[in-house]
Amino acid sequence: MKIIDGKACADLILEEVKAEIARFNARPGLAFILVGDQPASETYVKRKIAACENVGIASFDCRLSEGVSEAELLAKIDEFNQESDIDGIIVQQPLPSHICTTKLIAAIDVLKDVDGFHPLNVGRLLLGDESGMISCTPLGIIKLLERSKISVSGKEVVIVGRSNIVGKPLAALLMQKGRDATVTVVHSKTKNLAEVCKRADILIAAIGKPKFITDQMVKEGAVVIDVGINRVDGKLVGDVDFEKVEKIASKITPVPGGVGPMTIATLLNNTWQSYKRRHSL
Ligand code: GUN
């Protein structure tokens, strides 16, 4: 089948997590910190909370105003670090510009860093140690490729976008020994971006620009993974011009129903893994 069904794959993972939580009669907890009035972040957090409820994870929802100080945020993180019922802490990004994101993330207890953004977890990943927490969207993409039986070994993978949340950790995962992809990361300053994209056996779009990837940028038979979630005229569209690219790709993820659900399933699985580690299960 040409369409890679991320929703179906995510549902399977969620069922596995739900069954394990029930088997251990456990009640893991996940805390969300949401700053300011960001409709996109609001939507993501709502989805994550609904998914938590579904698998038996308790959610702790903390909303702070746009003008919150860094000190107040750090105090909140410290409170959640101390709270034994909380196994995971998420500070939804982006944060207002007066807040130093790096400083906040570093303040999260590394054992509760279910987003995998803590410098220690990022460093471990770069060193080839995957025993720490790994960022949810990149890990979700790896799982989706694995479960769809798409091998990356020796393939030319081009990632469009160099963010800390997706592009950078995904490049690290794909080039890791054992996965063995040949990875190129392109971004807004790349020359001949379309040409580089056209070399890809697997093209991954994570730039946050609606329909940025056109059929001109895709090789016949390539696998196309669309990480974009853009709202255009009230409709969700990816970073890929799906109607055009679908015709030449061998496999493609849709938006919605592709990478998005995998991010959430991975987050809940990370939270469950964190619970198990914290309780020596
Ligand atoms: N903003 C966009 N994606 C993410 C994510 O996976 N985690 C957090 N904390 N913020 C995000």
Side-chain angles (χ1 to χ4, degrees), residues 32-33 41 44-45 48 89-94 105 115 117 135-138 165-166 263 267:
F32 297 89
I33 300 178
S41 294
Y44 297 150
V45 168
K48 290 172 185 174
I89 302 169
I90 279 192
V91 180
Q92 192 66 26
Q93 295 183 30
I105 301 302
D115 255 334
F117 296 162
S135 177
C136 305
T137 301
I165 293 181
V166 184
T263 297
L267 171 66

Side-chain angles (χ1 to χ4, degrees), residues 241-254:
D241 189 340
F242 184 89
E243 280 74 32
K244 288 190 180 136
V245 172
E246 184 207 16
K247 295 192 174 77
I248 45 177
S250 63
K251 287 187 185 289
I252 185 166
T253 62

Side-chain angles (χ1 to χ4, degrees), residues 216-274:
Q216 302 297 310
M217 300 157 86
V218 179
K219 180 167 78 176
E220 184 85 38
V223 172
V224 178
I225 306 293
D226 191 349
V227 185
I229 303 180
N230 310 288
R231 202 168 279 278
V232 179
D233 301 329
K235 205 171 155 257
L236 279 190
V237 289
D239 290 348
V240 176
D241 189 340
F242 184 89
E243 280 74 32
K244 288 190 180 136
V245 172
E246 184 207 16
K247 295 192 174 77
I248 45 177
S250 63
K251 287 187 185 289
I252 185 166
T253 62
V255 176
V259 173
M262 288 301 293
T263 297
I264 295 180
T266 307
L267 171 66
L268 301 201
N269 189 45
N270 277 357
T271 306
W272 170 232
Q273 299 310 320
S274 168

Side-chain angles (χ1 to χ4, degrees), residues 113-117 121-122 124-125 129-140 142-143 165 169-170 173 176 179 263 266-267 270 277:
D113 171 42
V114 286
D115 255 334
F117 296 162
N121 281 325
V122 177
R124 284 174 176 148
L125 174 63
D129 169 6
E130 295 190 5
S131 66
M133 284 292 164
I134 297 172
S135 177
C136 305
T137 301
L139 187 57
I142 296 289
K143 298 272 173 233
I165 293 181
L170 183 56
L173 279 168
Q176 212 84 279
R179 288 199 191 88
T263 297
T266 307
L267 171 66
N270 277 357
R277 189 167 302 176

